């Protein structure tokens, strides 16, 4: 009896051990399988990351290769040996004779216009005081210039040139009186090979004949700024008086310098519709501006750095820049303005 019990206890212990062994074996199998799955997943993720990295490197290499090809093509375009027709060369006033990109240079004796005549009767005589305003379009062009150009362009008046496809600046400088800056301004324009329209009054021409001669000789355009520069505006005078303000200066420049002027700028930018038509009938184009700033007060000159930044911030296609020659600030920053404008892709053309 006792032996039987011992045999039963022994069998139970054997069964228990067998179960434990089976359990441990199963656990080991599970752990091994889990480890294998983890390793496989990790390897799969690493392979995926590696493929993504290889694809990214391939794309970068292709992009770099494409950029290098584009750069090589551009260099080829500007290479004198590969493409001599597109060789960059320093701009000179002689290039104004080039119809590709520059206005025709005026004749030695100026230009004579033959404008269609306009009936002055019934035209608006309300005085207007021009200023370009602060609103800009997507090309940084003053909105007021575009509105006035559309309204008054039929009178041969220009507030801006509508040339959004061309990064062109037309430089104009008003000469009411000489303050010692004009020779240095002319020096800068000559150094930079930039053409300009100088609007002169009769008194300026009488007192500074050598400067007017130099303007003409160096390829610039001399424009009409009236005889007396009436502060109240040209339109404040009668038709006869306005005519004398224009023709008196025109005839003086013609007689003294053999030069026919065809561009006019209103003193202080004050005008009306009837006066614009009168200027047209006197065979003139009237130039206003799409950029100007407070630069003419010789006793309170603006900061040069701030002024230069203002000029650059206002760059726009077809710009008519108005500067005053009595400004020491303009004299100081003109060269830097030209350089920085050209660095942004702008050209300086002579307005015709």
């Amino acid at each position: 009896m006792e032996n039987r019990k011992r045999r039963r206890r022994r069998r139970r212990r054997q069964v228990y051990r067998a179960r434990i062994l089976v359990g441990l074996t199963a656990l080991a199998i599970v752990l091994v399988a889990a480890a294998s799955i983890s390793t496989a997943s990790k390897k799969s993720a690493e392979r995926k990351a590696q493929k993504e990295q290889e694809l990214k490197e391939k794309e970068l290499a292709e992009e770099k290769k494409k950029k290098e090809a584009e750069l090589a093509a551009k260099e080829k375009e500007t290479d004198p040996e590969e493409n001599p027709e597109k060789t960059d060369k320093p701009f000179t006033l002689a290039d104004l004779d080039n119809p590709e990109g520059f206005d025709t240079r005026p004749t030695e004796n100026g230009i004579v216009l033959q404008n269609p005549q306009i009936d002055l009767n019934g035209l608006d005589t309300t005085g207007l005081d021009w200023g370009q305003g602060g609103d800009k379009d997507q090309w940084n062009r003053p909105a007021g210039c575009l509105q006035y150009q559309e309204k008054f362009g039929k009178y041969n008046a220009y507030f801006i040139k509508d040339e959004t496809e061309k990064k062109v600046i037309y430089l104009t400088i008003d000469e009411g009186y000489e303050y010692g800056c004009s020779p240095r301004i002319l020096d800068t324009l000559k150094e930079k090979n930039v053409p300009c329209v100088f609007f002169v009054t009769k008194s300026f021409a009488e007192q500074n004949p050598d400067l007017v001669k130099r303007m003409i000789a160096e390829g610039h355009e001399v424009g009409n700024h009236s005889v007396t520069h009436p502060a109240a505006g040209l339109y404040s005078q009668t038709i006869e008086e306005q005519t004398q303000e224009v023709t008196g200066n025109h005839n003086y420049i013609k007689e003294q310098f053999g030069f026919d002027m065809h561009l006019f700028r209103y003193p202080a930018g004050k005008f009306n519709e009837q006066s614009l038509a009168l200027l047209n009938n006197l065979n003139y184009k009237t130039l206003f501006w799409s950029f100007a700033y407070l630069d003419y007060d010789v006793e309170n000159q603006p900061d040069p750095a701030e002024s230069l930044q203002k000029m650059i911030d206002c760059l726009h296609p077809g710009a008519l820049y108005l500067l005053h020659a009595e400004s020491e600030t303009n004299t100081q920053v003109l060269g830097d303005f030209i350089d920085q404008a050209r660095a942004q892709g702008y050209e300086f053309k002579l307005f015709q």
Side-chain angles (χ1 to χ4, degrees):
M1 187 71 175
E2 188 65 29
N3 290 334
R4 191 182 298 168
K5 289 180 179 179
R6 282 197 296 270
R7 285 196 296 272
R8 287 176 180 173
R9 286 196 295 270
R10 191 181 304 118
R11 282 197 297 272
R12 284 197 293 270
R13 285 196 295 270
Q14 289 174 348
V15 170
Y16 178 71
R17 291 192 188 101
R19 288 176 177 175
I20 291 174
L21 181 61
V22 170
L24 291 174
T25 302
L27 178 61
I29 292 172
V30 170
L31 292 174
V32 170
S36 299
I37 291 171
S38 176
T39 301
S41 297
K42 185 176 180 181
K43 289 182 177 180
S44 177
E46 289 176 349
R47 284 196 297 271
K48 184 178 180 181
Q50 185 178 0
K51 287 181 179 179
E52 290 177 351
Q53 181 65 27
E54 290 174 353
L55 181 60
K56 186 175 181 180
E57 290 176 354
K58 184 178 179 181
E59 290 175 350
L60 290 174
E62 289 177 352
E63 185 177 352
K64 182 180 179 181
K65 187 177 180 180
K66 183 179 179 181
K67 288 182 177 179
E68 289 175 348
E70 291 175 352
L71 181 61
K74 289 181 179 179
E75 290 176 348
K76 185 176 180 180
E77 286 181 359
T78 56
D79 189 338
E81 296 181 359
E82 295 289 343
N83 197 350
E85 293 184 359
K86 293 189 177 181
T87 303
D88 264 338
K89 61 178 182 178
F91 168 68
T92 67
L93 290 179
D95 289 326
L96 292 173
D97 293 317
N98 178 5
E100 297 180 0
F102 298 97
D103 289 335
T104 302
R105 187 177 182 179
T107 64
E108 183 180 351
N109 299 319
I111 294 175
V112 177
L113 301 179
Q114 295 294 331
N115 295 338
Q117 299 297 286
I118 299 172
D119 186 0
L120 303 184
N121 293 318
L123 295 181
D124 194 352
T125 58
T126 304
L128 299 171
D129 193 353
W130 171 243
Q132 71 268 16
D135 294 336
K136 307 289 183 66
D137 70 0
Q138 65 268 39
W139 289 285
N140 205 36
R141 301 180 302 173
C145 294
L146 303 173
Q147 295 168 3
Y148 271 53
Q149 187 62 50
E150 182 177 358
K151 184 175 182 179
F152 297 116
K154 59 187 175 183
Y155 300 115
N156 253 323
Y158 293 85
F159 299 82
I160 193 171
K161 287 292 286 287
D162 190 8
E163 301 172 326
T164 55
E165 75 285 0
K166 298 179 182 178
K167 299 178 76 171
V168 174
I169 298 169
Y170 300 94
L171 186 62
T172 70
I173 296 178
D174 284 5
E175 294 274 16
Y177 60 93
E178 180 53 36
Y179 201 69
C181 298
S182 296
R184 286 181 287 157
I185 289 174
L186 282 164
D187 289 343
T188 299
L189 295 176
K190 186 175 182 179
E191 176 191 349
K192 302 295 182 180
N193 293 314
V194 169
C196 177
V197 180
F198 286 92
F199 287 98
V200 304
T201 61
K202 183 181 178 183
S203 60
F204 178 89
E206 289 173 334
Q207 296 166 18
N208 303 278
D210 290 343
L211 287 176
V212 176
K213 289 177 182 177
R214 182 178 172 186
M215 292 169 188
I216 296 171
E218 293 183 0
H220 302 294
E221 184 76 13
V222 175
N224 194 333
H225 203 30
S226 78
V227 172
T228 66
H229 198 282
L234 201 68
Y235 68 83
S236 66
Q237 302 176 339
T238 66
I239 294 296
E240 291 73 20
E241 289 170 335
Q242 292 182 60
T243 300
Q244 179 55 37
E245 284 283 350
V246 179
T247 59
N249 194 22
H250 181 100
N251 293 337
Y252 180 80
I253 296 295
K254 174 69 173 176
E255 293 166 2
Q256 298 298 317
F257 306 100
F259 189 87
D260 282 298
M261 298 185 293
H262 74 288
L263 301 176
F264 182 82
R265 171 158 287 152
Y266 279 97
K270 296 178 179 180
F271 70 103
N272 62 25
E273 184 180 30
Q274 185 187 70
S275 186
L276 285 177
L278 173 63
L279 261 296
N280 173 85
N281 292 353
L282 294 173
N283 294 314
Y284 268 84
K285 291 182 180 180
T286 302
L287 262 63
F288 289 89
W289 59 86
S290 61
F291 172 84
Y293 77 114
L294 186 57
D295 61 347
Y296 48 82
D297 186 351
V298 296
E299 301 299 330
N300 186 27
Q301 280 291 283
D303 178 74
E306 292 178 2
S307 298
L308 175 59
Q309 190 61 52
K310 185 179 295 184
M311 294 179 192
I312 296 299
D313 289 343
C314 291
L315 286 172
H316 56 273
L320 292 173
Y321 265 66
L322 161 60
L323 302 178
H324 286 87
E326 64 264 31
S327 169
E328 181 64 34
T329 294
N330 289 340
T331 307
Q332 291 181 31
V333 306
L334 181 58
D336 290 334
F337 167 63
I338 292 169
D339 290 342
Q340 292 189 30
R342 280 175 166 166
Q344 293 193 29
Y346 281 86
E347 293 178 306
F348 287 84
K349 294 177 62 174
L350 186 62
F351 190 94
Q352 294 293 285

